[in-house]
């Protein structure tokens, strides 16, 4: 099983970054105890070197059960280690599960080729035989057409290449949506109803 998660301090102050930096280590140790491997994919740090956001890939069994104790807002109750006499003692970060689209792999068995007659300007037939080819990717419904040459075989090859290009564009758009979602997560953290509470400078939970 493979799951992607994001830990984010949102737009919180330095204390939230400090909290996240330490909680990441706790998260990794608890995951390891459950035989879940945590790989850091991307990390954004503040100027002071503290982590503001981190994306991790989790691999192992029963990850969903493990994440039940982590998903949502996380609260650290402690006096600020950076600002003496600061009144605030509640610091929030959050853990989000990232929904990633599966990679689209172009397989020959998923392509339906349709032969059709090429036509030029004014309705004049470019070819007297059917040589144009439409390639349909059945899982997504995306199509590509080639009528560049008089060779049906060559047009079939071109149609498949154009189909592959369209699928790559779709994949790139999906990847960008993942990035946008991560930034949205970073900006929107619920301050309340924490899934888990840590206390003190030693982060006891």
């Amino acid at each position: 099983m493979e799951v992607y998660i994001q830990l984010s301090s949102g737009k919180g102050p330095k204390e939230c970054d400090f909290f996240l930096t330490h909680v990441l280590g706790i998260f990794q140790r608890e995951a390891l105890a459950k035989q879940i491997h945590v790989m850091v994919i991307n990390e954004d740090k503040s100027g002071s070197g503290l982590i503001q956001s981190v994306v991790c890939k989790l691999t192992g069994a029963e990850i969903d059960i493990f994440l039940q104790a982590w998903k949502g807002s996380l609260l650290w109750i402690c006096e600020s280690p950076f600002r003496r006499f600061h009144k605030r003692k509640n610091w929030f970060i959050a853990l989000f599960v990232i929904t990633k689209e599966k990679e689209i792999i172009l397989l020959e068995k998923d392509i339906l080729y349709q032969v059709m007659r090429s036509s030029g300007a004014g309705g004049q037939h470019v070819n007297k035989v059917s040589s144009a080819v439409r390639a349909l990717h059945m899982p997504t419904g995306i199509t590509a057409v080639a009528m560049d040459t008089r060779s049906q075989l060559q047009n079939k090859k071109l149609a498949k290449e154009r189909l592959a290009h369209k699928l790559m564009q779709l994949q790139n758009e999906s990847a960008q949506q993942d990035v946008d979602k991560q930034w949205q997560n970073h900006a929107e953290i619920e301050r309340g109803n924490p899934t888990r509470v840590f206390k003190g400078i030693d982060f006891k939970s």
Side-chain angles (χ1 to χ4, degrees), residues 184-203:
Q184 184 180 345
N185 289 342
H186 192 60
E188 297 175 2
I189 289 183
E190 182 182 0
R191 268 78 179 176
N193 301 317
T195 303
R196 194 157 172 182
V197 178
F198 299 84
K199 295 181 180 180
I201 199 67
D202 52 359
F203 296 93

Side-chain angles (χ1 to χ4, degrees), residues 35-192:
Q35 297 184 323
I36 296 171
H37 178 66
V38 179
M39 178 186 293
V40 174
I41 302 297
N42 184 56
E43 209 174 63
D44 292 322
K45 292 187 175 181
S46 65
S48 58
L50 297 172
I51 301 172
Q52 294 178 312
S53 176
V54 60
V55 175
C56 302
K57 180 173 76 171
L58 278 56
T59 51
E62 299 183 337
I63 295 175
D64 290 340
I65 296 173
F66 170 71
L67 288 177
Q68 285 177 6
W70 284 94
K71 278 193 298 187
S73 296
L74 308 174
L75 168 63
W76 176 40
I77 303 174
C78 185
E79 293 182 356
S80 170
F82 307 108
R83 294 178 283 179
R84 292 185 65 189
F85 310 118
H86 189 67
K87 292 182 179 180
R88 180 177 168 184
K89 294 183 180 180
N90 292 346
W91 315 100
F92 286 93
I93 62 173
L95 185 145
F96 304 93
V97 175
I98 300 173
T99 303
K100 296 187 76 68
E101 295 290 333
K102 291 183 179 179
E103 183 180 359
I104 301 173
I105 300 173
L106 183 58
L107 302 174
E108 191 67 32
K109 67 181 180 68
D110 291 332
I111 305 173
L112 176 64
Y113 294 102
Q114 298 171 312
V115 178
M116 56 187 188
R117 189 178 294 276
S118 300
S119 61
Q124 296 298 314
H125 295 307
V126 174
N127 304 308
K128 292 184 179 180
V129 295
S130 299
S131 61
V133 177
R134 176 187 287 114
L136 166 66
H137 185 242
M138 292 182 287
T140 62
I142 292 175
T143 62
V145 175
M147 54 179 71
D148 303 51
T149 74
R150 293 179 179 271
S151 166
Q152 186 182 117
L153 190 63
Q154 187 65 23
N155 283 336
K156 181 179 178 181
K157 181 181 177 183
L158 288 170
K160 182 178 179 181
E161 289 175 356
R162 289 169 184 170
L163 191 60
H165 180 69
K166 285 187 175 183
L167 290 173
M168 185 180 295
Q169 286 182 317
L170 180 67
Q171 200 76 53
N172 290 339
E173 289 171 4
S174 176
Q176 185 58 51
Q177 288 173 359
D178 287 341
V179 172
D180 294 342
K181 180 62 178 174
Q182 289 171 34
W183 277 109
Q184 184 180 345
N185 289 342
H186 192 60
E188 297 175 2
I189 289 183
E190 182 182 0
R191 268 78 179 176

